[in-house]
Amino acid sequence: MTYNFIKKYPYILKYTSKPVVTVKKGTPYEETFETYNYSIPGAKYGIDGVDGLKTGSSPEGAFNYIDTIKRGNQRMIAIITVSYTHLTLP
């Protein structure tokens, strides 16, 4: 899914590859967002070549992480999912 998403919408990496992004600049709807993806270069634990894609958490979904990295002609996609079900006691 991530592979196909990047293939179809490669320009999304323009936004996901930055630690801080401002959208709708110069309009009344201008907003600035800071990433929670700390592996983006320039972020807390930046890694060269990382260019996105998503981190997130929710009470139902636990903590999830999808990251993409490109070095030379090779792209890798890392997907980490965490579930709270393994913490449930019988």
Side-chain angles (χ1 to χ4, degrees):
M1 186 174 180
T2 301
Y3 172 82
N4 289 318
F5 186 77
I6 293 171
K7 283 294 217 186
K8 189 168 183 175
Y9 308 104
Y11 56 86
I12 193 69
L13 298 175
K14 173 184 172 186
Y15 300 100
T16 62
S17 64
K18 296 181 170 50
V20 179
V21 175
T22 300
V23 296
K24 300 183 181 181
K25 199 174 251 181
T27 72
Y29 307 103
E30 182 176 311
E31 283 189 83
T32 300
F33 299 93
E34 292 185 37
T35 187
Y36 288 102
N37 186 350
Y38 297 125
S39 59
I40 297 289
K44 192 173 186 177
Y45 303 108
I47 300 170
D48 289 339
V50 172
D51 55 8
L53 190 61
K54 179 213 177 285
T55 60
S57 63
S58 68
E60 294 81 19
F63 297 94
N64 302 288
Y65 178 83
I66 299 172
D67 219 346
T68 60
I69 185 169
K70 186 168 185 181
R71 291 192 177 154
N73 292 324
Q74 185 177 22
R75 173 168 299 283
M76 293 179 278
I77 299 170
I79 301 172
I80 301 169
T81 59
V82 178
S83 170
Y84 289 125
T85 57
H86 71 282
L87 300 175
T88 306
L89 299 174

